[in-house]
Amino acid sequence: MAGETKNDAKRPGPETTEAWIGLMRARERVLARIEADFKAAGQPPLGWYDVLWELVQADDGRLRPFEIEARTLLAQYNLSRMIDRLVKEGLVRREAFDADGRGQWVVITEAGRAMRERMWQTYGPSIEAHVGARLSAAEARQLAALLARLR
């Protein structure tokens, strides 16, 4: 088109921009509601659940910190502090990875497994209330398929 610059061709159209804004707003609102449900139930924040879930899913219930970071998308500085708190609460423990002790595993404990189960008792119904109850099964499948294309 006349007057179009090289950078203009790389800009999103209005439909894409609207989709992006909607995705970000929905994410923030749903996460805030889920966090409020955890708080009302007297439970730790959602980030704890995410770390515990990834550890439960891992072989031998253990992962290196960088693996947790990649799977949860938590920033490294936040993850380090979170792991410290999980250790303090007895939900995970650290184990040396190398003979020199520089590398570490983060290993879920039985208390961590139990906490994840308790948190799921809040999280599952919260997901249903804030997502499932607002979408039909067909819409949920369609949304999941669309989001999978963005991975």
Side-chain angles (χ1 to χ4, degrees), residues 13-24:
E15 301 85 357
T16 302
T17 302
E18 185 178 345
W20 173 252
I21 292 168
L23 179 63
M24 291 297 98

Side-chain angles (χ1 to χ4, degrees), residues 3-12:
E4 184 176 282
T5 68
K6 191 174 186 180
N7 287 337
D8 288 337
K10 295 180 182 178
R11 292 186 180 158

Side-chain angles (χ1 to χ4, degrees), residues 48 52 82-94 107-115 118:
W48 286 32
L52 296 172
M82 184 181 300
I83 291 171
D84 288 343
R85 292 180 64 200
L86 293 169
V87 167
K88 183 178 176 184
E89 295 294 324
L91 303 176
V92 303
R93 68 179 183 277
R94 290 186 173 97
V107 183
I108 192 164
T109 64
E110 286 307 313
R113 290 177 187 278
M115 174 60 78
R118 283 193 306 277

Side-chain angles (χ1 to χ4, degrees), residues 2-150:
E4 184 176 282
T5 68
K6 191 174 186 180
N7 287 337
D8 288 337
K10 295 180 182 178
R11 292 186 180 158
E15 301 85 357
T16 302
T17 302
E18 185 178 345
W20 173 252
I21 292 168
L23 179 63
M24 291 297 98
R25 285 182 179 160
R27 177 189 181 276
E28 291 303 313
R29 288 179 181 144
V30 171
L31 285 176
R33 291 173 185 143
I34 289 171
E35 288 286 9
D37 290 345
F38 275 127
K39 187 173 183 175
Q43 293 181 331
L46 178 59
W48 286 32
Y49 182 90
D50 291 343
V51 170
L52 296 172
W53 171 253
E54 292 302 337
L55 289 167
V56 165
Q57 297 303 304
D59 291 336
D60 300 325
R62 64 186 193 171
L63 292 168
R64 303 282 304 273
F66 74 88
E67 293 172 312
I68 297 171
E69 182 182 352
R71 293 176 187 205
T72 61
L73 303 177
L74 293 167
Q76 191 277 329
Y77 64 89
N78 288 334
L79 181 60
S80 295
R81 285 185 286 168
M82 184 181 300
I83 291 171
D84 288 343
R85 292 180 64 200
L86 293 169
V87 167
K88 183 178 176 184
E89 295 294 324
L91 303 176
V92 303
R93 68 179 183 277
R94 290 186 173 97
E95 289 181 359
F97 181 76
D98 308 326
D100 65 10
R102 286 187 292 181
Q104 292 186 346
W105 291 108
V106 177
V107 183
I108 192 164
T109 64
E110 286 307 313
R113 290 177 187 278
M115 174 60 78
R116 193 213 58 85
E117 287 289 334
R118 283 193 306 277
M119 291 180 79
W120 180 249
Q121 299 306 309
T122 299
Y123 195 17
S126 188
I127 292 169
E128 178 57 30
H130 303 301
V131 179
R134 297 166 183 249
L135 301 172
S136 69
E139 289 168 332
R141 280 191 299 276
Q142 181 181 20
L143 179 59
L146 290 169
L147 292 172
R149 292 173 57 186
L150 299 178

